Amino acid sequence: MALRPILSYPNACLKEKARDVANLTGTESTLITDMVETMYAAPGVGLAAPQVGVSQRIIVLDVDHESPGTRLITLINPVITEREETIVWEEGCLSVPDFTADVTRARRVLVTGWTPDEKEQSIEADGLLAVALQHEIDHLDGKLFIDRISRLKRDLYKRRIRKLQRQGKTPPARTRLSI
Ligand SMILES: [Zn+2]
């Protein structure tokens, strides 16, 4: 097991559409173990493989950090098959340090995918879990939550990051759970 570095905006890997997983080998199972450890250490409620530089359709989530592991979800090749109603949630992201914004998403979703032991899995989710699933699946499509906010807000964030980069600084550490 090992922690993997989390890539941040504007790393190009975060803009790529990730590939479907066709075979689950030792490489993928090591990746999944590392992703889970990296997510809890961050701390975050979810992590997608592209965030650690692997362009494959794998996500891990745990929205219950009070008792880590009991609600851990690992999904391979996840697909959203149903969406109901809308919800606005203030989102943050491990790959978008020091920034949060309100994002509108579906309040309830049905997501299907595969478990690491190759069983088909369906998850009905609402609230934070629904938001987190949509946020992670967006990562697999090369999308960040800042792509879902107004251009004006996004531009403010981009300018702040460019300024920090010019000054050779990195954004301050996060203080809240990110997705
Ligand atoms: Zn994220």
Side-chain angles (χ1 to χ4, degrees), residues 46-48 51 92-96 135-136 139 143-145 178-179:
L47 193 69
Q51 291 181 276
C93 176
L94 297 171
S95 297
V96 184
H135 179 116
E136 296 313 329
H139 275 303
K143 227 177 224 177
L144 296 172
F145 81 94
S178 297
I179 305 173

Side-chain angles (χ1 to χ4, degrees), residues 105-153:
R105 298 193 187 267
R107 177 182 293 273
R108 277 190 290 279
V109 289
L110 179 64
V111 175
T112 59
W114 296 84
T115 64
D117 51 355
E118 298 191 35
K119 292 193 175 75
E120 239 177 331
Q121 192 180 18
S122 291
I123 296 171
E124 264 184 70
D126 66 8
L128 174 58
L129 182 58
V131 168
L133 281 162
Q134 292 167 84
H135 179 116
E136 296 313 329
I137 293 167
D138 265 1
H139 275 303
L140 304 181
D141 293 325
K143 227 177 224 177
L144 296 172
F145 81 94
I146 52 173
D147 297 318
R148 295 193 177 273
I149 61 178
S150 74
R151 287 185 61 183
L152 220 65
K153 272 196 202 147

